[in-house]
Amino acid sequence: MAGPSIKNLAAGDLSAVARVHCAAFPKSAITAFGHEAVCRYYSWQLLGPHDAVAVGAVNEQELLGFCFAGLFNGATSGFLRKHRAFLLGRLLFRPWLAGNELIRTRMQTGLKLLWRLGQRPLPPPPRSTAKSFGILSIAVSPKHQGSGVGSMLMLHCEAAAREMGLTQMHLTVDPANTQAVTVYERWGWTRAEEGGRWKGRMTKQLCP
C-alpha cells in the first residue's frame, strides 16, 4: 500500500481540516465554538490576504494531517473582524463558553485587536520585509500521530520557506504541551526566550 502524499488544500477540504483540528485540539478555544467555526477560521487562513501555504497529508482520500504556514496578515484579527457576528451568535446560544477561562482570555485578546484595528483594511502581506516563515497550525489526526505525518508536513513547509528565500521559521506552542515541545526540539527547533522567560515561541534556522 502506498504511503501518504502531500496535496495543496482547497476550500472543499475545509470540513476535513476542521475534523482533524477538533480531534487533535479538543480543548482549543476555536474547537469549543464548533465545527463550523473551525471551518471559517481555516477558510480565512486559506483565502485571506496571506502569502502562505496550506497543505495536507492524504492517504486514499483520507486527510491524515495538515499544516498552514507562511506569512500571515491578520491571521487572528482578520478572522475575528470577518466573522464577529457569527462568533457572537455562537456565544448567545452557548453562554457557558464565556465561563471557560481559555475562551474568555481569547475573547479579551480578540476585542483588544478589533478595537485597535477598527475597520481599517488590512495592508498587503509584507513579503519583501518579512524575515521569518511562521507555522500557524500543524495537526495530525490522533490515530495517525507518531506515523511520520507531522514530520512530512514540516519538511514540506521548510522547503516552501526556502523557496520564498527565508532562512528562519517560527511557531508558538503551549509550554505545558511537553510532548509537542519534545517533538519540535527533535526536529531542530529551539526555544526563544523573552526577557529571560520562555513563553512558547520556538525558532528554527534553515540552511540555504
Side-chain angles (χ1 to χ4, degrees):
M1 180 182 296
S5 59
I6 297 293
K7 63 168 280 186
N8 291 322
L9 297 174
D13 298 308
L14 291 173
S15 183
V17 166
R19 285 195 296 271
V20 172
H21 173 101
C22 292
F25 308 122
K27 296 182 180 180
S28 75
I30 191 66
T31 296
F33 279 83
H35 182 88
E36 176 62 21
V38 180
C39 283
R40 291 182 182 227
Y41 174 75
Y42 284 110
S43 176
W44 170 252
Q45 313 311 333
L46 180 67
L47 305 174
H50 316 299
D51 192 359
V53 297
V55 293
V58 296
N59 194 359
E60 297 183 353
Q61 305 304 313
E62 179 187 4
L63 183 68
L64 313 182
F66 66 83
C67 186
F68 285 68
L71 309 180
F72 291 91
N73 190 33
T76 299
S77 60
F79 164 70
L80 291 173
R81 183 162 51 186
K82 182 177 178 64
H83 297 290
R84 59 185 180 276
F86 169 81
L87 295 171
L88 287 172
R90 280 298 168 102
L91 277 176
L92 289 176
F93 286 100
R94 301 182 179 190
W96 62 87
L97 292 177
N100 183 299
E101 182 178 355
L102 175 61
I103 295 175
R104 190 165 58 248
T105 300
R106 295 289 189 270
M107 287 171 57
Q108 292 171 347
T109 302
L111 288 172
K112 289 178 182 178
L113 283 170
L114 290 174
W115 176 262
R116 186 169 67 248
L117 292 172
Q119 296 300 316
R120 291 179 296 169
L122 291 170
R127 177 170 182 172
S128 60
T129 58
K131 297 181 180 179
S132 184
F133 185 96
I135 301 296
L136 177 71
S137 180
I138 182 168
V140 177
S141 174
K143 65 180 180 179
H144 296 291
Q145 289 176 5
S147 65
V149 170
S151 178
M152 177 187 298
L153 290 165
M154 187 65 80
L155 287 173
H156 183 90
C157 289
E158 289 182 12
R162 291 189 182 93
E163 288 181 6
M164 295 172 68
L166 301 176
T167 58
Q168 179 174 295
M169 300 176 69
H170 70 273
L171 60 79
T172 301
V173 62
D174 182 353
N177 189 348
T178 55
Q179 181 178 0
V181 173
T182 298
V183 170
Y184 291 139
E185 290 180 330
R186 189 167 67 241
W187 290 345
W189 291 74
T190 59
R191 307 183 190 196
E193 294 187 355
E194 302 174 28
R197 295 178 57 196
W198 184 59
K199 301 178 181 179
R201 181 179 172 85
M202 303 187 77
T203 60
K204 182 174 183 178
Q205 300 298 319
L206 300 176
C207 297

